[in-house]
Amino acid sequence: MKTCRSCGEENLPRARFCHACGLALDEIDQVVQDSRRTVTVVFSDISGSTSLSQRLDPEVFRRVMSRYFEEMRGVLERHGGRVEKFIGDAVMAVFGIPTIHEDDALRAVRAAVDMRSALDRLNIELMEGAGVMMSLRTGVNTGEVVAGDPSAGTLVTGDAVNLAARLESAARPGEILIGNDTHRLVRDAVRAEPLEPLTLKGIGREVTAHRVLEVIPGAVGALRRMDAPLVGRDDELSALQSAFEASVLERGCRLVTILGSVGVGKSRLGLEFARRIEDEALVLQGRCLSYGEGRAMWPVAEVVKQAMVIRDDDTEQQARDKIQSFLAGEDDAGSIAREVSELIGLSGPRSGAGPGYRAVIELFEALARRRPLVLIFDDIHWADSAFLDLVREILEASEDAPILLLCVARSELLDHVPTWGAPEDGASTVTLAPLDDEECRRLLGFVLGRSSPTTEAQERIITAAQGNPLFLEEMLAMLIEEGLLQRSDGRYHLELDPTAIKVPPSIQALLAARLDRLGAIDRSIVEAATIVGEVFREDEVASLLPAAVNVGLGERLNALVAREFIRPETAGVAKSGSFRFHHTLVRDVAYEAIPKGRRAELHLRFADWLESSARAWSRWLQEALAYHLETAFWLRAELGPVNHQISSLAERAADQLGSAGRKAHAAHDMPAAANLMRRAVSIAPADHAGRLEMLPLFAEALVEIGEYDEAGAVVTEAIERARATGHRGVESHALIIMLKLPKRQGFTVSLGYGISGGGEVRKPGVD
Ligand SMILES: Nc1ncnc2c1ncn2[C@@H]1O[C@H](COP(=O)(O)OP(=O)(O)OP(=O)(O)O)[C@@H](O)[C@H]1O
Ligand SMILES: [Mg+2]
């Protein structure tokens, strides 16, 4: 069978078109190839198997080992990992293939800890049966790898994999060692000890690692700060307040859902509201887990435990007694207590009929009759349908009790449950927009403390964060950690090219996971758009896609708008029908995921398309063409030795950059002219004729913008090369430019030799 990558339909093996959606199957296949992705790799090896093999009958030994592999595979897969291979007694698994999850690092560490516990259980049997024990050594590491098409089962490769294997060999029996990048992503969910820097075989640098002691159940990998004073959100808070007041007045249930994109401040708004309402209501909070398989009722369990003060070490009976004594005096107190504790997994499997929601509702009603009740359920985009049913049921069935259900979700909730929160009796939504620039400035000031950064640094960070408080906080944290944002004279200074602001790893994980959930076709559309640039048109994107994918491209782009990956471009001189990425960081992450070889090919293809479809050669079009050729060249140069093909690409790119530079020069835009010609000169092969001819003009642009040192060097090179090759015209031109250089720059020309050819370049002191 051949699965359609667009709609998932199974087709006959020989089918060329999908019988469900009509797309050409082979062409769609072409768009899904290798990808670069950040994954977490787990390597585990057992020690003690040799002595085991000596003590046991080979048949028994074989059975024990296959039990071991089965157990390990089960644990890894349950946490969302994929077993890549078994090598001898070792297991290698990867988290992030075939699908990236934003918490892959934490999943991997959890799996490692669970594997250790699974082996402990197996050991009990082994000790009883054969008097031997095995122990596990584990290494976990996060990093970028290249992964082949997952359905083809190609293995991942990359330095990150080697490091995980080396950490495993450095671990002592029973130990789990995690690399630094993993630790950063899981630090708030584990107890771990730092190790002395390790020198590992085959790794040419010292490696910092941590030894994991335990994982805290239900915790998130990296806690959000939640400490800067709240900025903005006044309207949203009053909407929540009104809903609360309505529920109190009517003694009824209201449901408000806070929706918005990742990191925009949804949980923070919920928290802020909870703080404000604390004196008037009983506020209980629960969170859906990102992989809660079998734990659909986890958030309900959390709120019930808070309300009933049930501790983790309470026995089943104690928990049930607490619920029952709270309900004392109510009808059916005993059976409600039993049903609730069964539903939320506090005691054995459910014995009653039906889903048991009635009992939970009665418990909430009882609570709300004593004091208005606010139930905050966060991250319901991860909720199981059973949980969502329960929430709806509370809204519809609860009576005579003031209950505000405050649900918090990323907008993608609407992808699975489009009607959620639709205005109906008692339901509404609050959609959070990004913060505006002024609000971002205030937040930045708070996060950095009293010594606010210089204005330029501020603006750069604000531009990169684009109104997302999480991105802002994470970017600052990364810049400070990497020493790029430094404090001096009581202020922060950012000495950095804004384009060099990287995507912080935590944000990378969030955005890559979102992108990975796109189907193959949408993914390839986003990919093509990243090549075109920050702003792109439908026909430009179409030029990079196979014909099959272009069917219905407009609709697909609109669907991507609805899903907040891109938005229509409204600002500036944009051509109509243009789009831009919803967030620059989304574009960055999607672009980085394309393997460099394919990236180069796409840039080149786009350059060809620009060249063939252009009707008039504006300066901007020329610059765009030059940029795509240049990028294709550098990517290819990074990947392999310079061959004939690459050098002719270099010449083509240099010529276009040169022409664009000349156009800028003619328009008296000297900064642009200097920039373009600098790029042309650095890319062109040394003996390329166009390069030599460009040097005097380049030097002139540099003089105009006051870059005298660089101008001096360029002019010197021009004169020397022109003389060596007999290019008199170039030489004369360069000598004229040299006259424009101020004397103090140390370059003088002896006019006695004349500009006609005998000019002499002297360094300071010579003249
Ligand atoms: N209005 C605000 N004022 C000050 N800080 C804010 C504001 N909104 C969000 N933050 C801060 O930004 C960070 C991210 O916010 P939060 O965790 O609420 O985002 P979220 O939308 O819930 O993200 P996710 O989709 O990942 O759950 C937090 O540290 C939070 O304190
Ligand atoms: Mg949140």
Side-chain angles (χ1 to χ4, degrees):
M1 287 307 229
K2 207 170 189 176
T3 312
C4 173
R5 296 196 192 267
S6 172
C7 67
E9 185 68 22
E10 296 288 349
N11 292 280
L12 292 172
R14 291 181 50 218
R16 288 180 46 225
F17 296 92
C18 172
H19 73 254
C21 70
L23 291 182
L25 293 165
D26 295 336
E27 285 194 61
I28 297 167
D29 277 349
Q30 283 171 18
V31 302
V32 192
Q33 295 168 21
D34 294 354
S35 64
R36 297 171 72 95
R37 46 179 66 218
T38 300
V39 300
T40 301
V41 181
V42 176
F43 253 99
S44 256
D45 197 0
I46 43 174
S47 50
S49 69
T50 323
S51 83
L52 195 67
S53 70
Q54 285 161 358
R55 291 206 199 182
L56 297 178
D57 179 88
E59 268 178 54
V60 179
F61 176 69
R62 193 157 160 242
R63 218 170 42 231
V64 167
M65 290 312 285
S66 54
R67 263 285 298 287
Y68 153 77
F69 287 130
E70 209 178 290
E71 291 268 338
M72 298 303 127
R73 182 189 285 280
V75 172
L76 286 159
E77 289 179 352
R78 201 166 59 244
H79 288 275
R82 190 170 87 163
V83 175
E84 283 282 291
K85 55 182 167 180
F86 292 109
I87 322 146
D89 300 341
V91 184
M92 174 196 169
V94 181
F95 288 75
I97 290 177
T99 316
I100 299 177
H101 302 101
E102 65 186 61
D103 52 355
D104 275 325
L106 183 54
R107 286 167 182 251
V109 175
R110 282 222 179 98
V113 171
D114 281 2
M115 280 160 79
R116 189 164 63 182
S117 318
L119 190 68
D120 287 345
R121 287 193 296 274
L122 196 62
N123 272 333
I124 296 175
E125 290 173 35
L126 282 175
M127 270 312 270
E128 281 166 5
V132 278
M133 278 188 27
M134 301 191 286
S135 54
L136 214 50
R137 294 193 315 226
T138 306
V140 181
N141 184 49
T142 304
E144 201 180 28
V145 299
V146 178
D149 177 357
S151 59
T154 335
L155 292 181
V156 296
T157 49
D159 188 44
V161 180
N162 296 340
L163 187 54
R166 295 296 174 209
L167 286 172
E168 181 269 305
S169 348
R172 288 188 306 231
E175 271 186 353
I176 298 168
L177 299 188
I178 61 176
N180 210 26
D181 290 342
T182 308
H183 182 250
R184 267 184 171 181
L185 293 165
V186 304
R187 59 172 182 249
D188 291 319
V190 298
R191 276 208 318 116
E193 300 169 336
L195 300 180
E196 291 292 319
L198 300 168
T199 314
L200 301 175
K201 205 170 116 197
I203 311 277
R205 61 193 146 87
E206 280 202 326
V207 172
T208 39
H210 284 74
R211 180 186 301 117
V212 175
L213 305 174
E214 64 169 343
V215 179
I216 303 156
V220 291
L223 284 175
R224 303 277 162 87
R225 310 169 44 113
M226 300 291 182
D227 55 354
L230 185 83
V231 298
R233 307 306 190 204
D234 296 332
D235 295 347
E236 290 84 353
L237 279 168
S238 27
L240 299 181
Q241 181 73 31
S242 317
F244 171 69
E245 283 164 10
S247 78
V248 175
L249 259 171
E250 295 158 11
R251 290 190 65 76
C253 183
R254 291 268 166 154
L255 164 67
V256 183
T257 307
I258 303 177
L259 286 173
S261 53
V262 56
V264 76
K266 304 176 297 294
S267 303
R268 179 61 197 269
L269 178 65
L271 189 73
E272 204 62 33
F273 175 68
R275 281 184 193 147
R276 294 184 185 198
I277 211 85
E278 248 163 21
D279 295 339
E280 299 164 58
L282 171 65
V283 182
L284 303 173
Q285 307 190 38
R287 193 170 66 86
C288 300
L289 301 177
S290 63
Y291 58 116
E293 157 212 325
R295 291 190 289 181
M297 292 297 149
W298 174 273
V300 186
E302 280 189 308
V303 301
V304 170
K305 284 185 190 167
Q306 281 162 36
M308 303 291 127
V309 205
I310 296 172
R311 297 201 321 246
D312 285 339
D313 54 0
D314 280 349
T315 60
E316 283 179 27
Q317 193 55 49
Q318 282 169 323
R320 205 189 292 184
D321 287 348
K322 284 182 177 174
I323 302 176
Q324 192 165 347
S325 65
F326 170 80
L327 291 167
E330 305 262 344
D331 294 342
D332 304 330
S335 67
I336 296 176
R338 180 180 48 77
E339 290 213 19
V340 169
S341 49
E342 283 172 0
L343 183 79
I344 62 179
L346 284 175
S347 52
R350 280 189 37 70
S351 50
Y357 297 165
R358 188 64 239 161
V360 175
I361 295 172
E362 281 177 29
L363 178 63
F364 289 152
E365 284 171 347
L367 279 163
R369 277 198 287 273
R370 297 182 190 192
R371 204 156 179 233
L373 178 62
V374 177
L375 293 171
I376 304 185
F377 293 120
D378 203 348
D379 293 331
I380 68 156
H381 49 275
W382 281 321
D384 220 90
S385 58
F387 175 76
L388 297 179
D389 286 347
L390 171 62
V391 173
R392 285 198 196 97
E393 192 74 21
I394 301 173
L395 177 65
E396 281 163 22
S398 69
E399 283 175 345
D400 190 29
I403 300 177
L404 174 63
L405 290 164
L406 182 55
C407 290
V408 179
R410 295 187 185 153
S411 315
E412 69 211 44
L413 169 72
L414 302 181
D415 294 349
H416 335 293
V417 206
T419 54
W420 185 264
E424 57 188 58
D425 280 349
S428 60
T429 52
V430 167
T431 305
L432 278 194
L435 298 176
D436 65 29
D437 282 1
E438 187 43 44
E439 288 166 339
C440 271
R441 268 185 214 111
R442 271 165 45 214
L443 178 56
L444 192 100
F446 289 133
V447 177
L448 291 179
R450 272 183 299 125
S451 48
S452 64
T454 58
T455 321
E456 199 198 351
Q458 251 185 30
E459 292 310 317
R460 287 181 184 187
I461 296 170
I462 286 169
T463 313
Q466 286 179 321
N468 187 304
L470 176 67
F471 296 177
L472 187 112
E473 288 182 356
E474 294 287 303
M475 238 168 328
L476 285 174
M478 182 186 70
L479 293 172
I480 293 173
E481 207 171 296
E482 293 183 355
L484 294 170
L485 191 60
Q486 281 182 348
R487 212 170 160 152
S488 64
D489 316 326
R491 292 167 82 83
Y492 277 95
H493 298 270
L494 180 64
E495 299 303 339
L496 183 72
D497 171 1
T499 58
I501 297 182
K502 284 185 303 184
V503 185
S506 52
I507 303 299
Q508 205 279 340
L510 286 171
L511 299 181
R514 260 195 93 203
L515 284 163
D516 227 35
R517 284 195 294 271
L518 285 176
I521 294 195
D522 288 330
R523 184 66 197 251
S524 67
I525 293 170
V526 169
E527 222 172 54
T530 69
I531 298 289
V532 178
E534 185 68 16
V535 178
F536 51 89
R537 267 190 340 239
E538 181 177 334
D539 60 329
E540 292 173 329
V541 172
S543 75
L544 292 172
L545 295 169
V549 177
N550 281 332
V551 178
L553 179 59
E555 277 160 39
R556 286 189 176 267
L557 286 168
N558 288 332
L560 287 168
V561 170
R563 295 174 73 182
E564 296 192 335
F565 281 92
I566 59 178
R567 57 189 151 96
E569 169 68 344
T570 46
V573 286
K575 329 128 228 197
S576 67
S578 293
F579 298 89
R580 79 161 44 239
F581 278 90
H582 202 263
H583 203 287
T584 327
L585 301 183
V586 171
R587 174 180 178 242
D588 293 349
V589 171
Y591 184 74
E592 293 294 326
I594 312 174
K596 290 181 178 169
R598 185 155 89 241
R599 242 186 271 169
E601 186 192 311
L602 290 170
H603 277 292
L604 193 56
R605 211 187 301 162
F606 191 58
D608 290 339
W609 181 82
L610 278 178
E611 206 164 34
S612 65
S613 62
R615 270 170 251 125
W617 278 104
S618 71
R619 195 179 135 197
W620 310 118
L621 195 56
Q622 183 109 43
E623 279 184 26
L625 171 63
Y627 163 78
H628 288 287
L629 291 170
E630 178 192 24
T631 312
F633 165 78
W634 287 117
L635 287 165
R636 287 220 170 141
E638 251 182 81
L639 291 177
V642 176
N643 56 26
H644 173 68
Q645 243 188 356
I646 299 184
S647 29
S648 66
L649 177 57
E651 288 180 7
R652 194 173 157 209
D655 288 343
Q656 293 299 343
L657 284 164
S659 307
R662 282 197 189 88
K663 283 200 166 118
H665 190 279
H668 297 287
D669 185 352
M670 293 305 169
N675 172 308
L676 287 159
M677 289 194 268
R678 184 183 290 116
R679 284 153 57 194
V681 164
S682 69
I683 213 173
D687 57 356
H688 181 51
R691 182 179 186 280
L692 178 58
E693 279 158 23
M694 201 188 326
L695 290 178
L697 211 60
F698 175 30
E700 188 179 0
L702 288 169
V703 171
E704 295 280 335
I705 59 170
E707 294 287 347
Y708 300 124
D709 285 348
E710 195 181 353
V714 172
V715 99
T716 309
E717 186 191 339
I719 293 171
E720 281 167 2
R721 280 190 188 277
R723 280 190 188 156
T725 52
H727 280 79
R728 287 290 176 88
V730 172
E731 190 185 345
S732 321
H733 190 177
L735 284 163
I736 294 170
I737 307 299
M738 180 168 280
L739 289 172
K740 295 187 179 178
L741 278 171
K743 256 199 154 168
R744 66 182 163 77
Q745 288 311 116
F747 293 94
T748 59
V749 142
S750 159
L751 284 178
Y753 287 91
I755 293 171
S756 62
E760 201 174 60
V761 186
R762 303 220 185 108
K763 292 279 175 188
V766 176
D767 206 356

